[in-house]
Amino acid sequence: DPRADGRVALYDTSDDGFAGSAPLGPLPDLVKFTPDGNTVMVANEGEPASDYTDDPEGSVSVVDVSNGAGNASSATAGFGNFDAQSLREDGVRIFGPGASAAEDLEPESVVAAPDSQTAYVTLQENNAVGKIDISDTSNPEITDIFPLGYKDFSKPGNELDAVNDGQVDIRNEPLFGMYQPDVIETYEVGGETYIVAANEGDAREYDALFETGILTDTGGGDFRIVIDDDGESDTGDVDVDESAFSDGVLSRLDGLEVTARPPSFGEGDVSDPGPVSELYLFGGRSYLILDSDGQQVFESGDQFEQIVRNSDDVPNDIGFNADDNENGIDEESPAAGPEPEGVAIGEIDGEVFAFIGFEEVGGVAMFDVTDPETPSFVDYSNTRDFDIDPETAIEDEGEPASVAGDLAPEGLTFVPATDSPSGDPLLIVGYEVSGTTAVYSIA
């Protein structure tokens, strides 16, 4: 039962033996140790039933393993002290039908600060990040929720390719992006903690609330956001106010994937909110650097799509914004673009680097984030074989999932030189579609 309480199980890697376990909240998602190794943190997503008759509260569990895995004890921090309407006014997306803040907030990824006293959790669908006091593991407390705001793709430096027209055309568009980060990591510079967030984007897709829609020309210059659910949900299509857009814009963007529940619609009612005058994408096609109070220090703009376009590893005619299991230029342009998801942070020779995986087109980008206000791009490596179309080879020809190389990076782990068997820093990447694990040496 995905809405029942879960558990975390701990194993000894020296012999794969079971070492202990502890209870958690509903639908545990991501598990992570604090840097000091004394605590395990788990983000409990608490997703609703498809008809929203049962919507468990999201939470973060803190598991004390300082006395050994066999004596693990857990405590859970919830969101019961937060008010839904107040969070909406602050800019947090609270929009589940009839949901309280505690029910609507859905933790995705959790990570501790370097001091192991504070942690941060992404609330992906809500476009926010929470801050947690874990100094007392028996009584953890979520102290703050930081709304992340929205990316304006009409501003210089925030260009994107949002059109599936078989061309690489990275340009400004009258669109907004909900950052909605998945994985986050932290690092410390000058005694200050910073957060790196991969702005993947994610939608709620349930029978009672299906927010993914496609911008569609219904004829005669009229446009609607058509709910992309094969007619299975209760959510209706949404009208678009054509007068809010310049001539030809909506026609060019026909087929764009957007939310049918934009930020201006926030009362938790699933009735028709239209007409809408702004279009919001899932994700920011970028990474964020935040300070310890959730304030934006840096946002990478259009770097990801420019990196892919200029990479020798990606043939633009079939690889730019390709799907994670199918070759074809622009397949993901109207949706997620490269779709950043996984993040790892590592220190090399006194400098701090962020590694970010691109889930759709594949590959991992490396950035020097030593100065959080002016990070710089270092390198991008994509070990996908674009000479082979994955969908055809795997589904039609029965080839193994790894036939086209590494597809869809999911989890990333940095290994410092001091822990590396080769003496060089390593990056280990797990690939979801190909089922492969790659180990990269960082020269």
Side-chain angles (χ1 to χ4, degrees), residues 36-51:
D36 63 13
N38 291 325
T39 307
V40 175
M41 298 177 302
V42 185
N44 304 309
E45 193 162 9
E47 288 185 347
S50 192
D51 61 2

Side-chain angles (χ1 to χ4, degrees), residues 302-358:
D302 68 346
Q303 285 189 29
F304 286 0
E305 281 171 289
Q306 299 288 6
I307 287 168
V308 173
R309 175 169 72 173
N310 295 320
S311 171
D312 293 336
D313 293 340
V314 180
N316 281 333
D317 58 337
I318 60 171
F320 177 80
N321 279 354
D323 196 306
D324 61 10
N325 66 352
E326 184 180 8
N327 291 344
I329 182 175
D330 271 342
E331 287 293 325
E332 286 295 322
S333 288
E339 192 166 335
E341 180 173 8
V343 180
I345 297 287
E347 184 173 330
I348 306 172
D349 295 334
E351 296 184 311
V352 183
F353 296 89
F355 304 86
I356 299 174
F358 296 169

Side-chain angles (χ1 to χ4, degrees), residues 6 39 111 155 188 190 219 246 267 280-281 296 323 371 380 384 401 416 420 423:
T39 307
V111 65
K155 291 186 175 181
E188 189 175 283
S246 301
E267 296 304 319
Y280 287 81
L281 309 183
Q296 187 178 129
D323 196 306
D371 183 345
Y380 170 71
R384 174 175 179 168
S420 168

Side-chain angles (χ1 to χ4, degrees), residues 402-418:
S402 59
V403 65
D406 300 311
L407 305 174
E410 180 84 8
L412 287 74
T413 297
F414 177 80
V415 181
T418 52

